Amino acid sequence: MRIECPFCGERDHSEFAYFGDAACARPAPGAADAQARFVEAVYLRENPAGAHRELWYHEFGCRSWLQVTRDTRTHEILEVRLARESTAP
Amino acid sequence: MVDPTCGPLCAFAGLPAIAGSGDGVVAKERDGLGIARITARDRQLAALERLVQRRFHLLLPKGARRTGCGEVSLAGVGPESWLMTCENAGNAFAIGLRDSLGGPATVVDLSDAYVMLRLAGAKVRETLAKLVPVDLHERSFQVDDVAQTVAEHMAVTLWRLGDLAGGEAVFEISVGRSLARSLHGAIRESAAEFGFVFEPA
């Protein structure tokens, strides 16, 4: 699997570290239903068969956080952008 | 064993100077370099660009590219982040940079953190191809291209300088100081079949 880093170009996935779901937002800790929301955020994750938005760190490259959209069935990389330039989640 | 009389500056002390026969790869230690990483502060990129241009007559390279003017060079190593080097300047370089660029940029002195080798020779590409997972063909990795990648699991920064008069490619590779001996070993072993010559500082 290769990931097209927006800064470095196409690199082998061994240069990257996988972090996890990019679509998962941290709930507001002060909210009245904070506990229920945190349980949901920590344990109830989407597990799509198909496009999945996730965070990768280009550790052995430019050390940027990337937001990668990957097809979980084929490992096809559909989109890569710098996480700092992303508005998601 | 490390020569205890050598002092802390000799990261490559006591290492074999040749391997195999011939000079397919010639590695020269880059000594006395001032090395600093500069990163633009939030929304300060334009101000940093102006300062660098005024102070060093250089444009900040876009992407993973390098540029140089006189003794100073700039290499893109991340978004809005550059590795700056200056010949024979040592730690004083970063101290000076902090004064001149410290407003719009963070400046970190890496002169003692990294060691650098200049690699030349007819077989330098064949040797590096064994070490780094980056296409180093002359059309793919052009003069002044920069790559941060791994060589034998060591995080390295690699760039290509202008070719020599005979058309021979020249690269510089840097690694954390504590990995200097490992990088030397990796290059030496990979270059042995072509002949390896090491020129310490």
Side-chain angles (χ1 to χ4, degrees):
Chain A
M1 192 170 94
R2 292 179 187 173
I3 297 175
E4 178 88 25
C5 172
F7 188 84
C8 300
E10 191 180 64
R11 294 295 178 87
D12 186 80
H13 87 287
S14 60
E15 288 190 9
F16 299 83
Y18 179 69
F19 181 77
D21 192 351
C24 178
R26 180 181 159 84
D33 58 347
Q35 185 166 355
R37 284 177 174 275
F38 266 98
V39 168
E40 195 173 311
V42 172
Y43 295 109
L44 302 178
R45 296 289 180 86
E46 294 294 325
N47 183 21
H52 187 227
R53 210 150 38 102
E54 47 203 28
L55 289 168
W56 290 76
Y57 181 57
H58 196 184
E59 182 160 18
F60 291 107
C62 61
R63 300 180 222 168
S64 295
W65 281 98
L66 308 178
Q67 193 193 89
V68 177
T69 308
R70 176 179 63 100
D71 189 317
T72 57
R73 297 164 301 184
T74 61
H75 296 313
E76 184 188 357
I77 305 291
L78 305 168
E79 188 192 35
V80 186
R81 57 175 68 183
L82 292 173
R84 61 194 283 170
E85 291 171 357
S86 164
T87 53
Chain B
M1 288 294 292
V2 177
D3 178 1
T5 61
C6 192
L9 288 174
C10 303
F12 297 97
L15 295 173
I18 54 169
S21 61
D23 56 358
V25 175
V26 179
K28 186 175 173 19
E29 181 183 355
R30 302 279 278 111
D31 189 40
L33 271 186
I35 307 174
R37 187 173 176 126
I38 61 168
T39 303
R41 296 185 196 276
D42 195 19
R43 292 186 287 275
Q44 297 283 309
L45 180 61
L48 177 63
E49 268 177 333
R50 280 194 299 274
L51 267 184
V52 168
Q53 197 170 0
R54 197 183 316 151
R55 173 78 179 74
F56 298 102
H57 310 291
L58 287 171
L59 291 171
L60 289 172
K62 301 263 183 287
R65 296 274 300 160
R66 71 178 288 283
T67 183
C69 178
E71 303 208 306
V72 176
S73 85
L74 267 168
V77 290
E80 301 188 13
S81 194
W82 293 266
L83 206 63
M84 257 184 121
T85 66
C86 184
E87 306 287 331
N88 304 310
N91 303 101
F93 179 55
I95 294 168
L97 280 185
R98 222 165 275 160
D99 291 335
S100 55
L101 307 180
T106 58
V107 178
V108 182
D109 184 5
L110 297 171
S111 310
D112 299 320
Y114 290 135
V115 292
M116 194 180 293
L117 293 174
R118 180 171 289 181
L119 304 173
K123 295 293 185 181
V124 66
R125 273 203 186 86
E126 285 83 345
T127 299
L128 285 171
K130 298 182 189 181
L131 297 170
V132 297
V134 173
D135 184 358
L136 296 176
H137 189 279
E138 58 185 323
R139 286 199 305 270
S140 177
F141 197 72
Q142 302 188 353
V143 169
D144 287 336
D145 272 354
V146 177
Q148 291 198 97
T149 183
V150 284
E152 294 274 359
H153 300 279
M154 292 176 274
V156 297
T157 304
L158 177 72
W159 55 61
R160 182 177 163 201
L161 301 176
D163 292 346
L164 298 177
E168 205 171 83
V170 184
F171 297 86
E172 284 186 334
I173 189 168
S174 60
V175 73
R177 170 167 289 266
S178 63
L179 294 169
R181 303 170 71 79
S182 302
L183 182 71
H184 181 278
I187 295 173
R188 186 178 72 235
E189 292 297 321
S190 302
E193 64 167 312
F194 312 118
F196 171 75
V197 179
F198 175 57
E199 298 173 4

